[in-house]
Amino acid sequence: MLRLATTFAAATSIATSIVAATSIATLFATAALAGPTASELFFDTPYLSKIEPGTTLNYAYKHVTSEAKLGDSFDETLEMKVSAPADDASKRIADVVIHRGDKEGEAGPFPTMNGNPISLILLERDVKEMAQLSKGSPFYLRNRVREHLGTGTVEPARFTFNGKEMEGWKLTMLPFATDPNKDKLQELASRRYEFLFSDAVPGGLYSIGVVTPKADGTSNIIETSLTLTGASATPAAK
């Protein structure tokens, strides 16, 4: 079994540091707003607390590059197994098993937390990819993503899951579009992130799409997508 290099400490560094970056935005958020803030959608909602222990959430992951120098294209499936610790049935623990061809990896365990751990795994991967391609600092890139996660644009959205139309929220951000060092990132500076959330789907997160367009905008050089495909319950032991 291959164990992912992504550590819980690295992934959760995005979440634990966001409070300072978004405190001003949160201060001015009021009950009069029709929808949630970006920070509420991504970090503050206890999605896993609504999942019964023994449930597995299944996701499809697809990574496509237009040139070999940008890395390999590949498909994966991710299984997030949700359980409860023996000492507190109200809490949740998530373990993620990742399948790519005949290889298997894992991430976690992630103890009870707000948000959905799958999103942190994808973003940590994304940061590492950008650091490798740009020869830049993963710490700098991670901080830029972290800052924008709490201040992205949120708007109502509709999508189809299991043949049914769902209502939710779309969170969009372009964390490097105005970055003072975007010239060093070249085309990566235009990378766009889109998240779809809904209380109507298990785990709260339906999909993540990350695209990096060519400089002329004619097509994308890198596309990454993660989509919830379903949920299943493990039969209780007799």
Side-chain angles (χ1 to χ4, degrees):
M1 176 177 286
L2 302 176
R3 186 158 190 90
L4 294 182
T6 301
T7 64
F8 175 65
T12 54
S13 67
I14 297 176
T16 54
S17 301
I18 194 66
V19 176
T22 60
S23 58
I24 295 177
T26 303
L27 179 65
F28 288 97
T30 68
L33 293 176
T37 65
S39 184
E40 287 170 342
L41 273 179
F42 195 92
F43 294 107
D44 301 337
T45 305
Y47 297 119
L48 296 192
S49 68
K50 304 173 185 178
I51 301 297
E52 287 295 322
T55 300
T56 297
L57 305 183
N58 300 294
Y59 300 86
Y61 183 94
K62 189 176 186 65
H63 186 79
V64 179
T65 60
S66 63
E67 301 178 49
K69 68 178 183 180
L70 299 172
D72 296 332
S73 298
F74 60 89
D75 293 338
E76 291 179 337
T77 58
L78 291 82
E79 301 173 355
M80 185 166 70
K81 301 179 180 182
V82 181
S83 60
D87 61 345
D88 190 342
S90 66
K91 295 182 179 180
R92 296 290 181 269
I93 298 173
D95 285 279
V96 179
V97 179
I98 303 169
H99 300 275
R100 185 192 303 184
D102 60 355
K103 296 181 179 179
E104 184 177 283
E106 58 183 34
F110 297 90
T112 292
M113 58 185 296
N114 292 338
N116 186 316
I118 287 287
S119 59
L120 298 179
I121 292 173
L122 184 144
L123 289 178
E124 188 62 23
R125 279 184 170 188
D126 188 72
V127 165
K128 289 184 176 181
E129 177 195 47
M130 292 193 70
Q132 290 172 351
L133 293 176
S134 68
K135 309 303 181 184
S137 165
F139 303 103
Y140 181 86
L141 296 168
R142 187 179 295 114
N143 286 338
R144 298 293 79 75
V145 172
R146 180 190 66 208
E147 290 172 1
H148 285 266
L149 276 171
T151 58
T153 300
V154 177
E155 57 186 326
R158 291 177 178 271
F159 58 90
T160 301
F161 174 65
N162 279 349
K164 297 180 180 179
E165 187 173 4
M166 302 290 182
E167 293 186 352
W169 300 97
K170 180 170 70 175
L171 165 59
T172 306
M173 66 173 187
L174 290 87
F176 307 103
T178 59
D179 191 277
N181 294 299
K182 68 177 185 178
D183 58 316
K184 298 178 182 178
L185 295 174
Q186 300 182 39
E187 288 175 306
L188 295 176
S190 297
R191 182 163 285 196
R192 175 188 175 91
Y193 300 75
E194 183 177 294
F195 305 81
L196 286 176
F197 293 92
S198 175
D199 289 335
V201 302
L205 174 68
Y206 172 65
S207 68
I208 303 174
V210 185
V211 297
T212 304
K214 281 187 175 181
D216 60 10
T218 57
S219 60
N220 296 321
I221 59 173
I222 305 174
E223 297 181 1
T224 298
S225 65
L226 180 140
T227 307
L228 176 70
T229 57
S232 58
T234 301
K238 296 183 180 179

